[in-house]
Amino acid sequence: MGILRLSLSTALLVALASTAHAQQPATQPGTAVQQQLTPEQQAQVARQDAEMSAAASQVMQMIDGNRAGEVWDGASQAMKSAVTRDDFVRQLSADRNRLGAPTAREQPVVSRSQFRAGEAVPAGIYINVASPTRFANQPEAVRELVSFRLDEDRTWRVSGYSVR
């Protein structure tokens, strides 16, 4: 799995977008943020959304192919500190055995978050890609979520995966 690199200006854009989003009332996701950004920044966000959606799709396909261990191997140190490789693989196997094979994934939704030290997750900038996904053993779509963290070396790495 290729590792996404992000320029400093784009990282600052993520911080700006997540801060602006946090200050907005809960309306349509991203709408208020998009209106506060310049056209160039909006284009950067759209490019980043497409890149991160593609990376999340790659992670989902790896998990579909029973390659969860490889996902963990390339993950952020924050994730590796939170869950062992064996536990990550075991939990994903249990989830996927219960749900069955994926049958359809809908358009993903990208969101951004920034956490400070002492919060529920390690401090940092995160991008979450959520996709409504249908599985063979589940009649309703479930949220398949891949989270990425901008690590200290300015590289985006997987920081979480869940189906709920």
Side-chain angles (χ1 to χ4, degrees):
M1 177 174 80
I3 297 175
L4 297 175
R5 299 221 175 257
L6 183 70
S7 69
L8 180 57
S9 63
T10 307
L12 293 174
L13 178 62
V14 170
L16 169 69
S18 64
T19 301
H21 182 69
Q23 296 171 356
Q24 299 304 315
T27 57
Q28 293 178 319
T31 304
V33 172
Q34 291 295 328
Q35 293 171 352
Q36 293 179 0
L37 301 177
T38 67
E40 293 80 17
Q41 289 171 326
Q42 289 178 17
Q44 281 184 311
V45 168
R47 258 191 318 276
Q48 186 181 56
D49 285 357
E51 290 171 358
M52 299 309 283
S53 293
S57 177
Q58 187 177 8
V59 169
M60 292 173 196
Q61 290 171 7
M62 290 176 74
I63 291 170
D64 294 346
N66 295 319
R67 296 170 53 201
E70 291 176 50
V71 171
W72 189 92
D73 291 342
S76 172
Q77 190 58 44
M79 181 174 129
K80 290 180 177 181
S81 296
V83 63
T84 67
R85 187 181 200 272
D86 288 343
D87 286 344
F88 181 72
V89 171
R90 187 176 12 265
Q91 183 59 52
L92 287 182
S93 286
D95 287 344
R96 285 307 188 84
N97 286 337
R98 178 178 48 83
L99 293 169
T103 58
R105 287 189 174 102
E106 296 177 25
Q107 182 69 30
V109 175
V110 178
S111 63
R112 293 159 175 79
S113 303
Q114 184 170 10
F115 294 94
R116 291 180 172 73
E119 294 192 38
V121 297
I125 298 171
Y126 293 82
I127 291 181
N128 300 301
V129 182
S131 179
T133 304
R134 294 192 182 282
F135 291 91
N137 300 339
Q138 176 69 32
E140 300 295 320
V142 297
R143 181 198 65 164
E144 188 173 21
L145 177 71
V146 179
S147 297
F148 297 92
R149 180 178 186 271
L150 183 61
D151 281 343
E152 288 71 18
D153 65 356
R154 312 308 287 170
T155 301
W156 288 103
R157 291 190 178 85
V158 173
S159 62
Y161 172 88
S162 67
V163 284
R164 300 285 179 252

